[in-house]
Amino acid sequence: MRSSETQIQSSAAGLHAPETAAPIRIPGKGLRPALIIGLATITTLSGVWMMFNILAANGFRAFDAMLLLLFAVSFCWISIAFWTSAAGFLLQLLRRDPLTLQRTESGRHRDSRIVTRTAVVMPVYNEETRRMVAGFEATLRSLEATGEAAHFDFYMLSDTTDPQIAQSELDAWQHLLARLGPAGERVFYRRRPENSARKVGNLADFCTRWGRNYEHMIVLDADSVMSGDCLLQLVRAMQANPRAGLIQTVPIPVQQTTFFGRFVQFAAGLYSPMLATGLSFWQTDTANYWGHNAILRVRAFIDCCGLPTLPGKAPFGGEILSHDFVEAALLRRAGWEAYLLADLEGSYEEVPCNLIDFAKRDRRWVQGNIQHLGLLGIAGLNGTSRLHFLFGALAYMASLIWFAMLVLSTVDALSRAIQGDVYFPATHQLFPDWPVVRTELIVMLIQLTIAMLLLPKVMGITIAIIQRRPEFGGTWAIVKGGLAELLFAIVIAPIMMAFHAFFVVSVLLGFGVNWETQERAGRLLSWKETLTRTWRIALTALAWGALTFHYTPVIFWWLTPALFGLVLAAPIARYSSSPQLGAGMRRIGVFLCPSEVRTDPVLQCLQKLLTVAPVQSPVQALPPALPAEIPSEMKPQDFNHKPIASGLVDKSGPEVWPPAWTRQPRTSRHHSNTTDVRDALAGVHTAAADPRNLNSGRN
């Protein structure tokens, strides 16, 4: 059976690509998740055994059982993260591909011929128009430079509700078309009059209207930038693996100017490749989808990823918020494969530039990820997909667990301090019960916990020094940045714990959240904003510290690292949002990143576009033309019944998607009136003598 399946898959691959583009082979696929989970289980049991003996030294109460349970969940989460990092470190050190375990080959798909059509789509919603269009254009121009752009179309899919921003998008689109010249024939702008179902509805609208024109679609976020080489390698990887429904890249943050933004950017650039390598190793062909900077097979997405509205109220009912995890799970449920290519470069994004905006973004993700707990029972889900749901929720619930452990430990210490030790608990007792302290076990458990938290950072720094030293400005720059990142991560960890714990509780109580536009531009937070967001945290920490210092000073000193960050949350949030401090760190070589030391041409293009002043349109832009539609249906999936596996092959051999009759001529367009709006807009722009017009001679 396996040999026949391999033969069919090889023939399907041959239909789309030359023999040089071999499909991905994953040795030991079934053993890898078991290996990581097994190692994490052994580590967790060791920690739980030590904690149990520490708690049970003077009798084991229901209170201790509760604390032990919270510790077990938290320690399990830390263990999984540690062993994932260790796997990534070992594979990167040996220069092994996490999927095939073969020697890493840079650009292994660069030589295969592209014979499919791909749509690059950017869903947007009330975004800052200038940055959005600049990223869109930089990505397009990078692809043009490869000479392979004829295989791609670009779509900006607007869900913007603000009329002023919507008009700004149209005006910017007018200038973009004029700058692009003939290349503008492959770019389209569509705005929905009603943005139902958020991003899910936006992409579904595209798929049901134009999806059948394309084999693949590459999804960008409003802040995404991708190099042309990265886009081509994604398409070639899909051609070589006809069973793949999803291939995810690792987006690296760029363009950060504030201290906080550069801290996040440096940490992601330093550690993300190693962590992604570890994830790719044990997820194998059941990788997750992060919503952008990824390629999807259009047929698979239409057939398998229609999302229903869930019954009931929040947090588990209503529209599916964090749709990307669910879409990846549904693809895998239907038999399609999903991969994470950890070594693919040229994939970038931007992140919130300060702690407050970063927490706001997490607030949205908390609600979406907790909703996934209600989806664990979807019929036919792959076991790894269920782990994605569980780990995604646990990533935020771990903060609530940590907070609960600190509170319970404080309550227990205060209770003992106020009541005093009881040496004769029984009425008729001859000898006292002296308190027992398992000092050796306490020290061992602390050492084990610190090691699992810090060693992944040490491993990431080690890999960078050995293999990527020039990209980060040298060994000393890596060490300086690593130490600064570690110290600041320790300082803000309690603040993020407090935010996340509050978010989880509010979501579980049924409070909703508005999914608004993210703030990405560097800005210095005002004292008013920081105090408004953090004064409750600071006052709680002050009361907490005063109480423990008065009754049990030992516990106070243990809590000092957490209380320090909580009390100073407002000044930490404000000063870390400073662009001046960020620039100062760059001048002294702290938080240097590969995107700054050796700039990718696509990022250079983005920076150039952002430095040019916007041009005012002499007339109001009109809605642009759109290609002819080929309607298709995207049915909501039934979560209660497992679907029949949807594969790319059947008894008659490989199936071609889309059918040949659905492919439209490149000149086929649909207009609301007889005038070619694109040419009219280009003419208006030429008359305006835009100095940014790189190619005004448009045919």
Side-chain angles (χ1 to χ4, degrees), residues 122-250:
M122 178 183 281
V124 299
Y125 174 74
N126 291 338
E127 299 286 348
E128 199 277 306
T129 304
R130 185 169 171 233
R131 166 61 185 86
M132 174 185 70
V133 174
F136 188 87
E137 182 177 353
T139 301
L140 190 154
R141 290 195 179 279
S142 180
L143 181 64
E144 284 280 337
T146 67
E148 299 281 1
H151 302 287
F152 296 79
D153 288 341
F154 280 69
Y155 289 78
M156 183 170 290
L157 307 175
S158 175
D159 258 0
T160 293
T161 56
D162 186 307
Q164 186 175 355
I165 298 178
Q167 188 58 52
S168 175
E169 289 175 359
L170 283 174
D171 293 342
W173 195 259
Q174 166 188 316
H175 295 297
L176 173 64
L177 291 180
R179 288 196 303 273
L180 292 176
E185 292 295 321
R186 293 191 297 273
V187 298
F188 306 95
Y189 172 87
R190 187 276 288 135
R191 179 176 173 236
R192 287 200 299 168
E194 296 182 6
N195 60 335
S196 58
R198 300 185 177 89
K199 185 177 177 179
V200 171
N202 197 349
L203 286 176
D205 179 79
F206 166 79
C207 289
T208 55
R209 295 171 69 182
W210 300 291
R212 296 184 71 179
N213 280 325
Y214 307 98
E215 283 85 357
H216 319 120
M217 66 175 177
I218 296 174
V219 182
L220 305 180
D221 222 351
D223 58 9
S224 296
V225 181
M226 298 183 74
S227 70
D229 182 68
C230 183
L231 299 179
L232 295 179
Q233 290 205 64
L234 282 174
V235 171
R236 286 164 175 154
M238 288 292 270
Q239 290 183 166
N241 296 275
R243 293 185 182 276
L246 162 70
I247 298 178
Q248 176 69 57
T249 67
V250 183

Side-chain angles (χ1 to χ4, degrees), residues 189-520:
Y189 172 87
R190 187 276 288 135
R191 179 176 173 236
R192 287 200 299 168
E194 296 182 6
N195 60 335
S196 58
R198 300 185 177 89
K199 185 177 177 179
V200 171
N202 197 349
L203 286 176
D205 179 79
F206 166 79
C207 289
T208 55
R209 295 171 69 182
W210 300 291
R212 296 184 71 179
N213 280 325
Y214 307 98
E215 283 85 357
H216 319 120
M217 66 175 177
I218 296 174
V219 182
L220 305 180
D221 222 351
D223 58 9
S224 296
V225 181
M226 298 183 74
S227 70
D229 182 68
C230 183
L231 299 179
L232 295 179
Q233 290 205 64
L234 282 174
V235 171
R236 286 164 175 154
M238 288 292 270
Q239 290 183 166
N241 296 275
R243 293 185 182 276
L246 162 70
I247 298 178
Q248 176 69 57
T249 67
V250 183
I252 300 298
V254 293
Q255 298 284 112
Q256 297 303 303
T257 58
T258 68
F259 179 89
F260 181 86
R262 293 183 58 76
F263 154 79
V264 175
Q265 178 178 271
F266 175 81
L270 189 63
Y271 305 123
S272 290
M274 182 187 75
L275 294 173
T277 298
L279 286 172
S280 180
F281 168 76
W282 68 262
Q283 292 174 0
T284 62
D285 58 4
T286 313
N288 215 345
Y289 175 37
W290 299 336
H292 58 94
N293 292 47
I295 187 170
L296 293 154
R297 195 173 299 276
V298 176
R299 172 199 173 183
F301 192 78
I302 291 177
D303 287 350
C304 310
C305 295
L307 299 183
T309 299
L310 301 176
K313 297 181 179 180
F316 301 112
E319 294 179 351
I320 295 176
L321 300 178
S322 292
H323 57 91
D324 39 15
F325 281 39
V326 180
E327 288 159 351
L330 294 178
L331 285 170
R332 196 66 191 93
R333 181 178 79 149
W336 296 96
E337 296 166 353
Y339 297 106
L340 171 60
L341 295 189
D343 62 339
L344 190 56
E345 298 180 344
S347 177
Y348 307 105
E349 65 173 347
E350 292 183 11
V351 294
C353 64
N354 60 73
L355 192 149
I356 300 300
D357 289 335
F358 197 87
K360 287 180 183 178
R361 184 189 68 171
D362 281 359
R363 172 65 180 86
R364 303 186 309 160
W365 290 356
V366 167
Q367 183 167 355
N369 285 18
I370 287 180
Q371 188 184 48
H372 292 163
L373 294 177
L375 302 178
L376 289 171
I378 292 178
L381 275 192
N382 183 283
T384 303
S385 297
R386 297 184 201 274
L387 287 179
H388 290 323
F389 287 174
L390 182 61
F391 291 166
L394 190 57
Y396 296 107
M397 296 182 72
S399 291
L400 179 60
I401 292 171
W402 180 25
F403 179 75
M405 289 174 62
L406 292 177
V407 170
L408 289 176
S409 299
T410 301
V411 170
D412 184 45
L414 290 173
S415 176
R416 292 177 186 274
I418 294 172
Q419 296 178 2
D421 292 321
V422 179
Y423 299 105
F424 295 92
T427 305
H428 304 287
Q429 183 173 337
L430 183 60
F431 299 102
D433 290 343
W434 299 109
V436 178
V437 179
R438 305 271 183 167
T439 307
E440 299 83 0
L441 285 178
I442 293 174
V443 173
M444 287 177 59
L445 185 56
I446 292 174
Q447 290 175 339
L448 178 60
T449 305
I450 292 176
M452 289 199 301
L453 290 173
L454 295 187
L455 277 179
K457 294 184 179 293
V458 174
M459 290 186 287
I461 291 171
T462 302
I463 285 292
I465 291 175
I466 294 175
Q467 298 181 357
R468 306 168 64 199
R469 186 167 57 250
E471 298 177 28
F472 288 91
T475 300
W476 180 230
I478 294 174
V479 173
K480 286 189 297 183
L483 290 175
E485 188 274 336
L486 173 62
L487 291 175
F488 190 64
I490 293 173
V491 169
I492 67 170
I495 305 174
M496 298 308 300
M497 172 201 70
F499 278 130
H500 289 167
F502 172 75
F503 295 160
V504 171
V505 171
S506 63
V507 167
L508 293 176
L509 291 177
F511 293 100
V513 60
N514 293 323
W515 287 51
E516 300 296 341
T517 304
Q518 297 181 33
E519 290 281 354
R520 299 182 178 95

